[in-house]
Amino acid sequence: MSPSRTSARRTPGAGRRATAWPTKRERECEEPYWFLTAKSHPAAMTTTRGAAGQLFGTGAHFDPRGVRSVTAWRCGGDGPGEGVGMSGIGKGLGTVEVALRWDPSPLGSPAHDLDLVAGVYTTTARYGPPAYSVYFDRRSPEGTISLDRDSRTGQGLGYDEVMTVDLGRMPEGHARVVVGVVIQQAAGPLVFGDVADPGIRIREGYTELSRHGFAEVAGARAATVAEFVRGASGAWEFRADIRGFTLDPDAFIAAMGASPA
């Protein structure tokens, strides 16, 4: 199977929301964020509301594994300097969720179709080729990676595609997982700069590992967004991995696991 869509695209219907409605990013910014402070003060919490792009605040996040992570978050940030991030992310990740959102294309234009993809790499071939790939019509053979939602238009509330990666159940021979996003090119050449407000959120349970947009790869047709690596102890770690590619979906699948320059 191929990550390129060959079937006819669904045409956005009359139910598309009006352009005056708030974007998904603005709706997210209307929601409060709760973070526990340091484990020495487990009862203290912080919550703030604000408009899109407003700095909500900083605080120390209590990780149940005993790791203290200082957190600074900006609602709806576009780049690694503006997105949600954490320092001191603990090792030993379990089940991780990667969520993708974007807003629909303008009325009367072809739908923008983005897809989450993942490549799994072994201890003997950490940088490719992948042992297998996962996307909208291909599952992982051992059931450790699943795509819970698949959108072809970006319509709807919240995140449009959600991929779950169960790192704790990965076979011992698997050492690296790379997650990326591709833009289907069937309706003509498209790059992230052509897509309305695309964004990624990566989290383990209630711990947010990363949240960012695609401003720094605006001229790319595909991009890697996350890398999960098994360390010498066997524990999994998250690494930010934002790299843009000017490749079609099939070629991106083959190249996404290459060692970063």
Side-chain angles (χ1 to χ4, degrees):
M1 303 295 290
S2 166
S4 298
R5 296 196 191 266
T6 56
S7 59
R9 292 168 174 256
R10 294 193 294 265
T11 301
R16 179 192 297 272
R17 64 173 176 80
T19 56
W21 288 22
T23 65
K24 290 174 184 172
R25 187 197 310 187
E26 290 168 339
R27 286 194 294 271
E28 288 173 8
C29 293
E30 294 171 356
E31 297 174 2
Y33 285 71
W34 287 271
F35 285 93
L36 291 175
T37 61
K39 60 182 178 181
S40 59
H41 303 284
M45 304 181 75
T46 299
T47 176
T48 309
R49 292 176 182 265
Q54 178 178 335
L55 180 65
F56 274 91
T58 59
H61 180 76
F62 173 61
D63 190 314
R65 293 182 293 255
V67 178
R68 178 190 293 210
S69 299
V70 177
T71 304
W73 62 96
R74 180 182 293 274
C75 188
D78 284 330
E82 294 182 333
V84 174
M86 290 187 178
S87 62
I89 296 300
K91 296 184 178 180
L93 294 174
T95 300
V96 177
E97 177 192 272
V98 182
L100 169 68
R101 60 159 170 78
W102 72 97
D103 283 340
S105 58
L107 285 170
S109 63
H112 293 163
D113 184 2
L114 281 63
D115 285 301
L116 284 168
V117 299
V120 179
Y121 303 87
T122 65
T123 55
T124 57
R126 285 179 174 265
Y127 298 102
Y132 61 83
S133 301
V134 178
Y135 41 88
F136 55 86
D137 62 356
R138 177 181 285 187
R139 301 179 180 180
S140 61
E142 71 279 347
T144 54
I145 302 179
S146 60
L147 187 62
D148 303 320
R149 305 177 198 168
D150 176 33
S151 172
R152 293 192 178 190
T153 63
Q155 295 189 68
L157 301 176
Y159 284 83
D160 302 293
E161 300 208 356
V162 178
M163 178 177 283
T164 302
V165 184
D166 190 348
L167 297 168
R169 292 179 50 232
M170 282 281 175
E172 291 185 3
H174 293 166
R176 184 168 172 256
V177 179
V178 178
V179 180
V181 176
V182 298
I183 305 174
Q184 297 296 332
Q185 303 291 318
L190 286 173
V191 297
F192 287 108
D194 298 324
V195 180
D197 201 32
I200 282 284
R201 182 191 66 197
I202 303 167
R203 65 184 183 182
E204 181 197 25
Y206 293 105
T207 301
E208 202 157 64
L209 306 178
S210 181
R211 184 201 296 262
H212 59 80
F214 291 82
E216 67 176 292
V217 292
R221 297 181 179 184
T224 57
V225 296
E227 179 182 15
F228 303 97
V229 179
R230 193 196 296 268
S233 67
W236 287 88
E237 305 174 38
F238 165 74
R239 297 178 183 175
D241 181 26
I242 306 171
R243 291 177 288 144
F245 294 74
T246 55
L247 299 173
D248 290 336
D250 298 279
F252 174 70
I253 287 286
M256 64 185 289
S259 177

